[in-house]
């Protein structure tokens, strides 16, 4: 992880590939979503606490009660987002949940417009419309050979709800200033431990293999992957980050197909592609060629 300064793109690519396997880890653990997120938070907090101490990030004199409170609220939203995300795997599929979960940039834009009075460009509206069509196609609600059941629709709702909560976390995190991301995630995981302890299932025995998967989710996906991401972000441009982020859903789709036998239909594939392109359009500020052509024609007149 110390090589992030030398190979930041490689570090981010590896981190996203690791993150893309979380659905398989959750499925193989075979533990209910709330308990899974509890152990994720506990093992993640232990790893991040050790990491921050070793790196000298703790104690952090810049911490304030205001920042801690905001980080704690981020933690509540993040824990609920993880729980909804994990719960949806059994109701739909890893691929569908992952790709729908990645529409959170559009919720960030919507929250900014509705609550923060931010302006929205015509291009952003067009990309959001394309993403909405992609969601409808990717969900399997139309042009799908699979029957759309109530369970499936609940899973879709969980994916969208989890993405919305993740967007709230993104908005709240902007107010944390220069606080180190590792400290923020540590606060979130500690909040998760306290928040879910009364609801986690400690009565059922957990098999040794399941413990290995749970430790992996906490240490690998919440600790190592996050540290690698945050180490790489400051050294990469927005376009590179935007492209590499999609390694996450690609890995999830491949795993879902290769291991769990969940093929992607043509309509769902088109929907996922629409979401991917629209998300890149919003993140990278792509302008639609039609709009540029119209503007050029107007200037000529």
């Amino acid at each position: 992880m110390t090589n992030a300064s030398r190979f930041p793109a490689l570090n981010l690519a590896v981190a996203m590939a690791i993150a893309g396997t979380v659905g398989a880890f959750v499925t193989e653990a075979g533990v209910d979503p709330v308990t899974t997120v509890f152990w994720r938070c506990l093992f993640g907090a232990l790893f991040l606490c050790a990491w921050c101490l070793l790196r000298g990030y703790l104690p952090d004199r810049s911490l304030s009660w205001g920042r801690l409170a905001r980080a704690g609220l981020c933690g509540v939203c993040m824990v609920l987002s993880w729980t909804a995300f994990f719960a949806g795997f059994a109701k739909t599929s890893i691929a569908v949940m992952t790709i729908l979960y990645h529409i959170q940039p559009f919720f960030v834009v919507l929250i900014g417009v509705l609550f923060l009075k931010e302006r929205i460009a015509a291009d952003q509206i067009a990309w959001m419309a394309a993403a909405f069509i992609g969601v409808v196609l990717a969900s399997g609600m139309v042009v799908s050979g699979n029957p759309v059941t109530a369970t499936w629709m609940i899973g879709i709702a969980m994916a969208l709800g989890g993405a919305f909560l993740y967007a709230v976390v993104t908005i709240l995190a902007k107010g944390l200033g220069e606080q180190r991301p590792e400290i923020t995630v540590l606060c979130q995981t500690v909040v998760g431990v306290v928040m879910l302890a009364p609801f986690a299932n400690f009565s059922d025995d957990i098999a040794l293999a399941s413990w290995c998967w749970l430790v992996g989710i906490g240490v690998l996906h919440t600790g190592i992957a996050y540290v690698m991401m945050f180490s790489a972000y400051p050294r990469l441009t927005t376009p590179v980050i935007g492209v590499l982020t999609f390694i996450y859903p690609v890995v999830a789709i491949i795993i879902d197909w290769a291991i769990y036998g969940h093929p992607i239909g043509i309509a769902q594939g088109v929907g996922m592609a629409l979401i991917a392109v629209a998300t890149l359009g919003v993140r990278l500020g792509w302008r639609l060629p039609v709009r540029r052509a119209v503007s050029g024609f107007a200037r000529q007149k």
Side-chain angles (χ1 to χ4, degrees):
M1 287 180 282
T2 57
N3 290 329
S5 58
R6 296 175 57 192
F7 307 107
L10 177 61
N11 273 263
L12 184 58
V14 172
M16 289 300 170
I18 292 172
T21 66
V22 70
F25 275 63
V26 172
T27 302
E28 294 302 318
V31 180
D32 70 89
V34 173
T35 306
T36 299
V37 175
F38 170 81
W39 290 115
R40 174 180 193 171
C41 290
L42 180 61
F43 292 129
L46 292 174
F47 175 88
L48 288 169
C49 183
W51 172 264
C52 291
L53 287 171
L54 290 173
R55 301 290 291 183
Y57 302 155
L58 289 176
D60 186 353
R61 296 181 179 179
S62 67
L63 286 176
S64 65
W65 287 110
R67 285 185 177 181
L68 284 175
R70 182 179 283 265
L73 184 57
C74 283
V76 172
C77 294
M78 181 62 82
V79 167
L80 293 175
S81 177
W82 283 342
T83 303
F85 184 46
F86 290 176
F89 289 145
K91 299 182 183 300
T92 56
S93 69
I94 293 173
V96 170
M97 284 297 296
T98 302
I99 198 69
L100 293 184
Y101 193 70
H102 276 74
I103 70 165
Q104 62 91 11
F106 300 98
F107 285 126
V108 172
V109 174
L110 283 175
I111 292 172
V113 171
L114 295 176
F115 300 103
L116 304 179
K117 306 303 180 182
E118 295 179 353
R119 298 183 62 183
I120 183 171
D123 294 304
Q124 291 177 310
I125 295 175
W127 289 126
M128 291 174 67
F132 176 77
I133 296 172
V135 168
V136 173
L137 292 174
S139 68
M141 290 187 290
V142 297
V143 198
S144 175
N146 299 321
V148 178
T149 63
T151 300
W152 183 274
M153 294 307 299
I154 290 173
I156 298 300
M158 287 178 170
L160 298 178
F164 176 79
L165 289 167
Y166 197 104
V168 173
V169 172
T170 302
I171 296 292
L172 290 173
K174 291 181 178 180
L176 292 175
E178 298 300 320
Q179 180 170 295
R180 296 198 66 89
E182 294 91 339
I183 300 294
T184 300
V185 179
L186 174 59
C187 293
Q188 293 173 356
T189 52
V190 171
V191 168
V193 171
V194 176
M195 178 178 166
L196 296 182
F199 307 101
N201 183 1
F202 301 117
S203 59
D204 292 345
D205 292 333
I206 298 178
L208 177 60
S210 295
W211 278 118
C212 294
W213 294 111
L214 291 173
V215 172
I217 295 170
V219 174
L220 192 61
H221 297 96
T222 313
I224 295 175
Y226 272 55
V227 168
M228 293 178 72
M229 289 178 198
F230 296 142
S231 299
Y233 283 152
R235 298 175 176 87
L236 295 173
T237 62
T238 299
V240 173
I241 293 173
V243 172
L244 292 179
T245 298
F246 278 94
I247 293 176
Y248 183 160
V250 167
V251 170
I253 291 169
I254 293 173
I255 288 176
D256 202 29
W257 166 72
I259 298 179
Y260 300 106
H262 292 154
I264 300 298
I266 295 177
Q268 287 180 302
V270 171
M272 291 179 178
L274 268 176
I275 293 172
V277 172
T279 302
L280 283 174
V282 168
R283 285 183 171 177
L284 306 183
W286 288 347
R287 298 184 63 187
L288 295 175
V290 173
R291 184 185 173 191
R292 289 201 298 269
V294 172
S295 299
F297 178 75
R299 285 195 298 269
Q300 290 175 4
K301 291 181 66 178

